[in-house]
Amino acid sequence: MLSSTASFVLSCGWTGGITESRKGRYPLWPEWNEADVNAEKWDLTKPIKEKEKSIKSPNLILFEDPEGKIELPPSLKIYTWRRPHEFITEKLPVVIERETSFDLIAANEHIMASELMRWIISEIIMLWATCQDTKLNDKSLLESVGPPWKPWEHVYALCKAMKGHVALYNSYGKYVVRLYWMGCWRKITVDDTMPFDRNDNLLLPTTTCYGELWPMLLSKALIKIASIDMNMAGKKELGEFTVLHALTGWHPEIIPLR
């Protein structure tokens, strides 16, 4: 028991920093701390050398997740990775465009074969509907300040950590997501590279609002946690991981239906 615990701690790293998931299967994301988020460096942290300026490669000035690319279930075959400015060309991308409603079904039929994607989409929709129900929430508060939970408020960029914050599009490609894992809220850093298949279909959930990034960024962070418990060989993609727990800290009771 002690040896297995020690190997777990070593794979996480004593400092609590993020380790590369491909080298250690159990990265320990740091506990959520608003002061750390408020002090976050959202852009390039070091100046670009003159010789680098002449090289026309956007990778030199864009943030890349130190944990590497996320691992998707085998049912989703990744062909290429793109940044928002490469596939959202008609206007500037935004993290959140519409705060009153969203549609996570119409544009995502091609990824519904994945159990993980179905859980991400359905749990977000279910939680959103629950927080808008006037029988479960104060109607006057709903009308004045909106629902008590909003999925895009898990995402941070170019903003301070406070209630009602609005994350902004970061052209540098760095975002922070707040999720619950292993007993506390944690800070999970992601970049904005997005996976596409051979048919040019985005392999992450998206809304019908063209250029809206929050579902993709939130899903990337959720997938990081889910991948620890992902069964890459069996028919069932997930084990004990639940999206609802990561979004709220609640412990849902899973009741199999036969």
Side-chain angles (χ1 to χ4, degrees):
M1 180 66 181
L2 289 175
S3 61
S4 62
T5 303
S7 63
F8 176 84
V9 174
L10 286 174
S11 69
C12 294
W14 283 99
T15 61
I18 297 174
T19 57
E20 187 173 339
S21 60
R22 298 184 186 278
K23 294 180 180 178
R25 288 291 296 172
Y26 302 99
L28 182 60
W29 296 286
E31 291 188 23
W32 184 261
N33 185 296
E34 291 190 352
D36 288 345
V37 176
N38 292 338
E40 189 72 46
K41 300 294 184 182
W42 294 112
D43 55 2
L44 195 64
T45 57
K46 62 180 181 179
I48 303 175
K49 298 178 181 179
E50 287 298 324
K51 64 178 181 179
E52 292 177 344
K53 291 182 180 180
S54 61
I55 302 176
K56 296 181 179 180
S57 175
N59 292 330
L60 289 174
I61 57 173
L62 296 180
F63 175 74
E64 292 188 4
D65 190 339
E67 293 181 76
K69 299 290 192 292
I70 57 172
E71 296 181 71
L72 294 186
S75 59
L76 301 175
K77 306 297 183 182
I78 302 174
Y79 178 69
T80 187
W81 295 84
R82 297 177 185 172
R83 300 274 183 169
H85 70 268
E86 296 175 311
F87 63 91
I88 302 172
T89 57
E90 297 179 5
K91 63 178 182 179
L92 189 69
V94 293
V95 175
I96 170 66
E97 180 173 325
R98 182 186 300 168
E99 296 191 39
T100 56
S101 63
F102 56 84
D103 182 352
L104 281 178
I105 300 296
N108 298 310
E109 291 185 7
H110 61 286
I111 60 174
M112 290 299 188
S114 165
E115 179 190 14
L116 173 59
M117 295 305 171
R118 291 198 303 271
W119 273 109
I120 290 177
I121 291 170
S122 62
E123 293 287 82
I124 291 175
I125 292 174
M126 180 275 295
L127 190 53
W128 174 255
T130 300
C131 290
Q132 285 191 314
D133 192 330
T134 55
K135 296 180 180 178
L136 302 174
N137 302 274
D138 187 288
K139 185 176 181 180
S140 60
L141 285 176
L142 285 176
E143 294 175 348
S144 59
V145 300
W149 177 84
K150 302 172 184 177
W152 47 85
E153 290 188 349
H154 285 272
V155 182
Y156 295 76
L158 300 171
C159 63
K160 297 297 182 180
M162 62 179 68
K163 185 173 179 59
H165 75 278
V166 177
L168 302 177
Y169 169 63
N170 185 4
S171 59
Y172 179 50
K174 182 178 183 180
Y175 296 85
V176 166
V177 181
R178 180 177 178 263
L179 292 177
Y180 199 88
W181 185 65
M182 288 191 69
C184 67
W185 290 100
R186 298 191 180 269
K187 173 188 173 187
I188 301 178
T189 303
V190 298
D191 62 28
D192 64 357
T193 54
M194 305 300 173
F196 285 78
D197 65 13
R198 285 184 174 273
N199 297 319
D200 209 28
N201 294 314
L202 178 64
L203 296 179
L204 292 175
T206 182
T207 68
T208 51
C209 289
Y210 181 73
E212 193 171 44
L213 300 179
W214 71 260
M216 312 170 205
L217 298 169
L218 179 57
S219 296
K220 287 192 73 173
L222 287 167
I223 291 169
K224 279 192 177 188
I225 299 178
S227 64
I228 296 174
D229 196 33
M230 192 182 297
N231 184 354
M232 303 301 286
K235 295 181 179 180
K236 184 177 175 60
E237 292 177 355
L238 298 178
E240 299 298 322
F241 169 80
T242 62
V243 176
L244 184 63
H245 181 63
L247 292 175
T248 63
W250 303 344
H251 289 277
E253 180 182 1
I254 306 299
I255 302 176
L257 300 178
R258 290 185 178 90

